Amino acid sequence: MDSKSLLEGSKLWVVEARIQLKSSLKDPEGETILRDLLHKRGVSGVEEVRTAKLLRFKVRSHSREDAESLIRKVCDELRLYNPVSHTCSVRVGEEV
Amino acid sequence: MDSKSLLEGSKLWVVEARIQLKSSLKDPEGETILRDLLHKRGVSGVEEVRTAKLLRFKVRSHSREDAESLIRKVCDELRLYNPVSHTCSVRVGEEV
Amino acid sequence: MRLVEEVAVTLTSEEREVVRKRLGREPNIIEWAVIEALWSEHCSYKSSRNILKMLPTEGVQVLVGPGFDAGLIDIGDGFVLSVHIESHNHPSAIDPYGGAATGIGGVVRDILSVGTRPVALLDSLRFGEIESSSHSRWLLRNVVKGIADYGNCIGVPTIAGELEFDQSFERNCLVDVMCIGAGRREEVVLPMATRPGCLVVLAGNTTGRDGILGASFASQSLDSDEEGKRSAVQIPDPFIEKLLIDALTEMFEQRLISAVKDLGGGGLATALSELAYKGGVGVDVDLSMVHRRETDMTPVEVLVSESQERMLLLVEGQKLERVSRMLEKYELQFSIIGRTVEERFVRLRWEGTLIAELPLSVLGDAPSVARASRRPEYLDTLRNTPPPREPEDLNKVFLNLLASPNISSKSWVYEQYDYEVGVRTVVKPGDADAAIIKLPNGKLAAVKLDGDSKKCYIDPYRGAMWIVSENFRNLASSGAKPCAIVDHQQFGDPGKPDVYWCFKECVRGVADYCMAVGVPVVGGKVSFYNEDLVSGRAIKPSPVIGGIGLLSDEDMVTTLSLKRSGDYIVVLGVTTGELGGSEYYEYIHRICGGEVPLVDPLSDWQLIEAVLNLRRMGVLRAAHDVSKGGLAVSLAEMAVRGRIGLTAELSKLPVRGRVLRRDGLLFSEGGSRIVVEVDRERFREAEMALRRHSVPFAVIGETGGNEISIKMNGEQVINLTVGEVEERWHYSLERLMEGYS
Amino acid sequence: MRVAIAKFPGSNCDQDVAYAISRVPGAWSEVVWHTELSPERYELVVLPGGFSYADRLRAGAIAAHTPLIEKLIDYVKDGGLVLGICNGFQILVEAGLLLGSLLPNKGLRFICKWVSLRVMNSDTPFTNAFEESEVVKMPIAHYEGRYYAGGQALRLFEERRVAFVYADERGGVSEECNPNGSDNSIAGVFNDTFNVLGMMPHPERASDPLLSPYGTEHGLRVFLSVANYVKGGA
Ligand SMILES: Nc1ncnc2c1ncn2[C@@H]1O[C@H](COP(=O)(O)OP(=O)(O)O)[C@@H](O)[C@H]1O
Ligand SMILES: [Mg+2]
């Protein structure tokens, strides 16, 4: 089977991986944004700021599940994050 | 009214701001992940990678709408993103 | 108390007995925690102390030798240099970015602890083979980024270092960082409590649960759970570090503090005990006063937390207000946690209640641990490895060697470091064998870090000597006279007699060399247990040497690039044929073995004096020592950096011992040699000077053209354009590391 | 020439700039903590390099919201001179005092190295000691230095608001010698009244021949230019 027919019937999915520091760890960037920007400029009501990185993949595959598991695998096996300090959650968005 | 009574009835909301490069701009990090990591390691099916930054706020307010509009205002007025090169979208998550 | 079962697990039963006897009672759990921290290998040197005694530590310029957080050297005009070296191997192996970054933070705080401000950083890194291992590439990429992000952010230039790749570091990378500080002699304060009545102030980062698993780190499984409240990982915060540096610098200038002490391994437990024990004055501290990140921490957690970016200050009462104002200006959090007292005790309280009370006499040195030592048998096998056949096409071999990650230019690394900040970097990384900085008194100093685990594995004693020799030749080639060193000794489990023997031999090698030439060791560090938990295999013995040299004046500054066409290329020193541990054996032939070069400290010293003298006379235009890759690589580097070609004839080299083959002449790292470019018109003067110094030498060729042409008895061995060589040498490491792969 | 060097939490090059200015005859400078700085007392305010607020959020983004910046906006309106170097440039861009934005380098790595720059306009308060089109050497050291003009690059050139571009030794411009991927190799820009200059290269690090691998002091000319201008010589 050539690659063309393999892709037949496949769709393009948006999959997002969110990589963030474990919640038990200090997030210095979030702290600075809160303390040196929001608080100093008089913004009240915000109690915490945490930062994360988002990777947005466009994945061609036959199903939502395939798209999600491919990205899950990529994140874990290609070490897009370090599990010692970070967590990574993956979810599929709408079909493009 | 003292601050205590002001806060009465308020709840803690999670609001997220997503900051990303305008789609017309090259995203070297996304490209590198796609080209030098995924493609070189033989991952197929992924057609694009774009990166974004996520700021996750815990906001105390009376309503979902208030929480969202506070963060929208903070993002625009304190320039949490640079409108020359980036866009910023805000959404409220679940109540904490 | 939750931590009961986790405290005092590493002390042996004999050590516990000693504690009970010294104290005359059973310590409570908090007291055990203090002793545990203080008597850890890391803080007490209980396995290494007796061996380290071999090292010469005294010299006319040495103000403070090993024993404090940093060594101090008198550089004249009322100024001092401080220096220290640290490793962060275990943390970097699991979290390369944070581990390396916090390593920088730690060594910088050591420099602050003696009242000096950091002026330069160096790094020495060891990884597995990055050509085949994506894990090692991942480690290298993140370690370098960690050092860069932290060092750059705090505004201390990272100006020199070294990088070695070897299979034995695949699971245990080594990340050593060295910091140089400078200050006025009268502003120096030592980290000890010498007077009662001072307030104890804790400044900087909040105390949290991070790093609480630090002591028992190596045995933690790597996938620590997300829910777990305590973490072995420490998040670096260079912003707080920078504010601490700026605030402390101002406070040193205004003489506001009586003593400063960084919080490192063992956290407050170690810092408080050492302050008291070293100065002979007690401290009385309430741990509940510490500003914390989490509200529900136990006293033991506060006591042993290894949260980064914190410093203890001892402040006289009448200066407290000025100190507070300074800390507030820099928006640093702080808490006043106690005071120094006449009674010679470390007293710890929690909300006023006494929870621990240890007399200083108990805290003293941990009993030394006697370790068995045995010469490993594999050394004989290694040594008797037969030489390989000489390859036909040495031109091709040479091109391959230039691309070896151990030889290729390290610009991919050092260009990520801000090596310019501070406007004091006179010679930048890559331009000479050592980096040169301008000191606050206007004088110049050269610094460099060196190691060579491949040689130390085959012959620890000779290997260690060789490293010192290379380091001193690096300093001399840059125009500096070696003045002091720090050493960092890194090995596997000292409980293994083989490992311990290698440790002893490496220290002996450093000691013998330094003793012979009269250069003191002003500090150092020992890191054991660098072993793969799965296979139980230890790293190759890895001493690294950080050398400091002083230049008599600006005209002495020497770089390695060829400067002019038509000059002579002169090799100083005798070429010897030992190829054990050479990059030629290891990379080209995949041979680990053979004989390691033996260096002679006294003839090295003559060589060093000769080079410095030639420079002073103004006849020497460039200098570069012969190290990894041998003469051929040294010549190539000089040509590439100067964009000038050269010709050389190998048969002219002064040699010792048996007749050498072409590959030996090209790639031997043996003999202590320095290649120099000598002004052709003034060669007679140079020649006479070299005779006076009784240094063997030979003119082997000339500079010029755009080819590197090396012959043996008139027959072409190597012939390449400077451009071809540059393409190989300059970009190989970068190409390997580009992108994410 | 009286110069204030503004120090923010995390500024690194404040003393370095002071050192460079000490080499300018007749110039005097002081490092002033950002909350205590009154711009109108000086003829030049320098925002030095470094990592104000550790580059968190984005390089320069937090410092751009400090009260000093509000004062600087008025100062600039009144014709005061402001020079932003590296992080200082990033702050000025974030504060809207200069056009554009500074993105992470195309290679995604921090880069420290000496580069060649071509002088694009030598008729300003900051560049009058240079020759037009001259090639000079200065070091860069940054991670977020890729200048993005938001579609305004050509306009900047037309209005002669580009101060320096990255170039080769002979002044040629190409992607190869564009270290960070900046729009049209732009390394430094002026505001529309030429009293604000922002540049990624560090002139203060190129102000002493001893510290230059080329034995040059091209960077010093930025400060000499301002001194000329202030004296009324330009
Ligand atoms: N990890 C590193 N960090 C900073 N600079 C480095 C590093 N590794 C190598 N360098 C620099 O690269 C140049 C060559 O280093 P090296 O190969 O160790 O030289 P040598 O063989 O003379 O000891 C030196 O200027 C050195 O300081
Ligand atoms: Mg060398």
Side-chain angles (χ1 to χ4, degrees), chain C residues 7 20 79 84 97 144 155 189 223 249-250 271 298 315 332 337 392 402 412 436 463 475 581 597 650 669 678 699 730:
Chain C
V7 162
R20 291 187 187 105
F79 287 89
H84 194 57
Y97 179 83
V144 168
V189 283
D223 48 359
T249 302
E250 280 202 52
T298 65
V315 182
L332 284 162
I337 62 171
E392 288 285 311
L402 285 169
W412 179 85
I436 297 179
L475 298 175
L650 295 173
E669 296 165 19
V678 174
V699 179
H730 200 267

Short mmCIF file of all heavy atoms in Angstrom, two decimals, chain C residues 7 20 79 84 97 144 155 189 223 249-250 271 298 315 332 337 392 402 412 436 463 475 581 597 650 669 678 699 730:
data_model
loop_
_atom_site.label_atom_id
_atom_site.label_comp_id
_atom_site.label_asym_id
_atom_site.label_seq_id
_atom_site.Cartn_x
_atom_site.Cartn_y
_atom_site.Cartn_z
N VAL C 7 15.45 10.33 59.24
CA VAL C 7 16.59 11.08 59.74
C VAL C 7 17.64 10.10 60.26
O VAL C 7 17.32 9.02 60.73
CB VAL C 7 16.12 12.04 60.84
CG1 VAL C 7 17.27 12.52 61.68
CG2 VAL C 7 15.38 13.20 60.22
N ARG C 20 26.80 9.69 70.90
CA ARG C 20 26.24 9.47 72.24
C ARG C 20 27.30 9.72 73.31
O ARG C 20 27.05 10.32 74.34
CB ARG C 20 25.72 8.04 72.37
CG ARG C 20 24.49 7.80 71.52
CD ARG C 20 23.87 6.43 71.78
NE ARG C 20 22.80 6.20 70.82
CZ ARG C 20 22.90 5.39 69.76
NH1 ARG C 20 24.00 4.69 69.56
NH2 ARG C 20 21.89 5.27 68.93
N PHE C 79 44.11 43.92 47.40
CA PHE C 79 43.02 43.12 46.83
C PHE C 79 43.26 41.62 46.99
O PHE C 79 44.41 41.18 47.09
CB PHE C 79 42.83 43.44 45.35
CG PHE C 79 42.18 44.77 45.12
CD1 PHE C 79 42.96 45.93 45.00
CD2 PHE C 79 40.80 44.89 45.04
CE1 PHE C 79 42.37 47.16 44.81
CE2 PHE C 79 40.20 46.12 44.84
CZ PHE C 79 40.98 47.26 44.72
N HIS C 84 36.59 28.89 44.27
CA HIS C 84 36.02 27.63 44.74
C HIS C 84 35.49 26.80 43.57
O HIS C 84 35.19 27.35 42.52
CB HIS C 84 34.90 27.86 45.76
CG HIS C 84 34.54 26.61 46.50
ND1 HIS C 84 35.47 25.89 47.21
CD2 HIS C 84 33.38 25.91 46.59
CE1 HIS C 84 34.88 24.81 47.73
NE2 HIS C 84 33.61 24.81 47.36
N TYR C 97 18.92 20.65 33.41
CA TYR C 97 18.79 22.10 33.38
C TYR C 97 18.87 22.68 34.81
O TYR C 97 19.74 23.50 35.11
CB TYR C 97 17.48 22.50 32.71
CG TYR C 97 17.27 23.99 32.68
CD1 TYR C 97 17.87 24.76 31.69
CD2 TYR C 97 16.54 24.63 33.67
CE1 TYR C 97 17.72 26.12 31.68
CE2 TYR C 97 16.38 26.00 33.67
CZ TYR C 97 16.98 26.75 32.68
OH TYR C 97 16.84 28.11 32.68
N VAL C 144 24.19 22.81 29.51
CA VAL C 144 24.76 24.06 29.01
C VAL C 144 23.74 25.19 29.11
O VAL C 144 24.04 26.31 29.53
CB VAL C 144 25.28 23.88 27.56
CG1 VAL C 144 25.62 25.22 26.94
CG2 VAL C 144 26.51 22.98 27.57
N GLY C 155 24.81 37.88 35.77
CA GLY C 155 25.82 38.84 35.33
C GLY C 155 27.24 38.47 35.71
O GLY C 155 28.08 39.33 35.94
N VAL C 189 35.38 38.83 55.02
CA VAL C 189 34.87 38.30 56.29
C VAL C 189 34.82 36.79 56.13
O VAL C 189 34.51 36.28 55.07
CB VAL C 189 33.46 38.83 56.63
CG1 VAL C 189 33.53 40.24 57.14
CG2 VAL C 189 32.52 38.74 55.43
N ASP C 223 11.40 8.54 38.92
CA ASP C 223 10.05 9.04 38.66
C ASP C 223 9.32 9.35 39.96
O ASP C 223 8.38 8.67 40.32
CB ASP C 223 9.27 8.04 37.82
CG ASP C 223 9.38 6.63 38.38
OD1 ASP C 223 10.09 6.46 39.40
OD2 ASP C 223 8.76 5.72 37.83
N THR C 249 27.12 42.87 47.93
CA THR C 249 28.24 43.70 47.51
C THR C 249 28.17 45.06 48.18
O THR C 249 29.17 45.56 48.71
CB THR C 249 28.23 43.85 45.98
OG1 THR C 249 28.28 42.56 45.39
CG2 THR C 249 29.41 44.66 45.50
N GLU C 250 27.00 45.64 48.18
CA GLU C 250 26.86 46.95 48.84
C GLU C 250 27.11 46.85 50.33
O GLU C 250 27.72 47.72 50.94
CB GLU C 250 25.46 47.53 48.58
CG GLU C 250 25.31 48.17 47.22
CD GLU C 250 24.16 49.18 47.18
OE1 GLU C 250 24.12 50.08 48.04
OE2 GLU C 250 23.30 49.05 46.28
N ALA C 271 24.77 25.01 57.93
CA ALA C 271 25.25 26.39 57.94
C ALA C 271 25.38 26.90 59.38
O ALA C 271 26.40 27.49 59.75
CB ALA C 271 24.31 27.27 57.13
N THR C 298 7.46 21.04 59.04
CA THR C 298 7.89 20.65 60.38
C THR C 298 9.25 21.28 60.67
O THR C 298 9.95 21.68 59.74
CB THR C 298 8.04 19.12 60.48
OG1 THR C 298 9.10 18.74 59.60
CG2 THR C 298 6.76 18.40 60.08
N VAL C 315 24.78 39.91 61.96
CA VAL C 315 24.74 41.37 61.94
C VAL C 315 24.75 41.90 63.36
O VAL C 315 23.99 41.43 64.21
CB VAL C 315 23.44 41.85 61.24
CG1 VAL C 315 23.38 43.35 61.17
CG2 VAL C 315 23.32 41.23 59.86
N LEU C 332 14.45 41.83 48.79
CA LEU C 332 14.77 40.48 49.23
C LEU C 332 14.01 40.19 50.51
O LEU C 332 13.96 41.03 51.42
CB LEU C 332 16.27 40.36 49.50
CG LEU C 332 17.15 40.25 48.26
CD1 LEU C 332 18.60 40.59 48.60
CD2 LEU C 332 17.06 38.85 47.67
N ILE C 337 16.27 35.32 62.70
CA ILE C 337 15.89 34.03 63.28
C ILE C 337 16.58 33.74 64.61
O ILE C 337 16.26 32.75 65.25
CB ILE C 337 16.14 32.87 62.29
CG1 ILE C 337 17.63 32.75 61.92
CG2 ILE C 337 15.31 33.03 61.02
CD1 ILE C 337 17.95 31.49 61.12
N GLU C 392 47.17 3.68 6.72
CA GLU C 392 47.81 4.18 5.51
C GLU C 392 47.61 5.68 5.36
O GLU C 392 48.55 6.45 5.27
CB GLU C 392 47.18 3.50 4.28
CG GLU C 392 47.53 2.04 4.10
CD GLU C 392 48.95 1.91 3.59
OE1 GLU C 392 49.29 2.60 2.62
OE2 GLU C 392 49.72 1.12 4.19
N LEU C 402 39.72 15.44 13.84
CA LEU C 402 39.30 16.83 14.04
C LEU C 402 37.81 16.93 14.35
O LEU C 402 37.35 17.85 15.00
CB LEU C 402 39.60 17.66 12.79
CG LEU C 402 41.05 18.02 12.56
CD1 LEU C 402 41.21 18.60 11.16
CD2 LEU C 402 41.54 19.01 13.60
N TRP C 412 30.11 25.95 20.28
CA TRP C 412 28.67 25.74 20.51
C TRP C 412 28.35 25.92 22.00
O TRP C 412 27.29 26.41 22.36
CB TRP C 412 28.25 24.34 20.05
CG TRP C 412 26.80 24.07 20.29
CD1 TRP C 412 25.76 24.39 19.47
CD2 TRP C 412 26.21 23.46 21.45
NE1 TRP C 412 24.57 24.02 20.05
CE2 TRP C 412 24.82 23.44 21.27
CE3 TRP C 412 26.74 22.93 22.64
CZ2 TRP C 412 23.93 22.91 22.21
CZ3 TRP C 412 25.86 22.41 23.58
CH2 TRP C 412 24.47 22.39 23.35
N ILE C 436 41.62 35.15 30.10
CA ILE C 436 42.30 36.15 30.93
C ILE C 436 41.32 37.23 31.34
O ILE C 436 40.53 37.71 30.52
CB ILE C 436 43.49 36.76 30.16
CG1 ILE C 436 44.52 35.65 29.86
CG2 ILE C 436 44.14 37.90 30.96
CD1 ILE C 436 45.72 36.12 29.07
N GLY C 463 47.99 10.09 35.12
CA GLY C 463 46.89 10.87 34.53
C GLY C 463 46.68 12.17 35.30
O GLY C 463 46.54 13.25 34.71
N LEU C 475 48.02 27.81 31.11
CA LEU C 475 48.20 29.14 31.71
C LEU C 475 49.42 29.83 31.10
O LEU C 475 49.35 31.00 30.70
CB LEU C 475 48.35 29.02 33.23
CG LEU C 475 47.17 28.43 34.00
CD1 LEU C 475 47.53 28.27 35.48
CD2 LEU C 475 45.92 29.30 33.86
N GLY C 581 45.39 6.60 26.43
CA GLY C 581 44.45 7.66 26.76
C GLY C 581 44.41 8.77 25.75
O GLY C 581 43.68 9.75 25.93
N PRO C 597 51.32 9.10 29.26
CA PRO C 597 52.54 9.91 29.34
C PRO C 597 52.92 10.25 30.78
O PRO C 597 52.06 10.57 31.60
CB PRO C 597 52.19 11.17 28.57
CG PRO C 597 50.98 10.86 27.78
CD PRO C 597 50.30 9.71 28.43
N LEU C 650 58.07 16.60 10.40
CA LEU C 650 58.03 15.83 11.66
C LEU C 650 59.39 15.31 12.09
O LEU C 650 59.66 15.16 13.28
CB LEU C 650 57.06 14.66 11.52
CG LEU C 650 55.59 15.02 11.30
CD1 LEU C 650 54.76 13.78 11.01
CD2 LEU C 650 55.04 15.75 12.53
N GLU C 669 50.16 12.62 22.70
CA GLU C 669 49.91 13.72 23.63
C GLU C 669 51.01 13.76 24.68
O GLU C 669 50.93 14.46 25.68
CB GLU C 669 48.51 13.55 24.25
CG GLU C 669 47.44 13.66 23.16
CD GLU C 669 46.05 13.15 23.57
OE1 GLU C 669 45.78 13.04 24.77
OE2 GLU C 669 45.24 12.90 22.66
N VAL C 678 57.49 32.05 16.46
CA VAL C 678 58.57 32.96 16.84
C VAL C 678 58.87 33.91 15.68
O VAL C 678 58.95 33.48 14.52
CB VAL C 678 59.85 32.17 17.22
CG1 VAL C 678 61.01 33.12 17.46
CG2 VAL C 678 59.59 31.32 18.46
N VAL C 699 62.95 24.04 15.38
CA VAL C 699 62.12 24.74 14.39
C VAL C 699 61.58 23.65 13.48
O VAL C 699 62.36 22.94 12.83
CB VAL C 699 62.97 25.72 13.57
CG1 VAL C 699 62.09 26.41 12.52
CG2 VAL C 699 63.62 26.74 14.48
N HIS C 730 35.72 23.26 13.31
CA HIS C 730 34.91 24.28 13.93
C HIS C 730 33.44 23.90 14.08
O HIS C 730 32.77 24.31 15.00
CB HIS C 730 35.03 25.61 13.18
CG HIS C 730 34.62 26.78 14.00
ND1 HIS C 730 33.34 27.27 13.98
CD2 HIS C 730 35.29 27.50 14.91
CE1 HIS C 730 33.26 28.27 14.83
NE2 HIS C 730 34.42 28.44 15.41
#
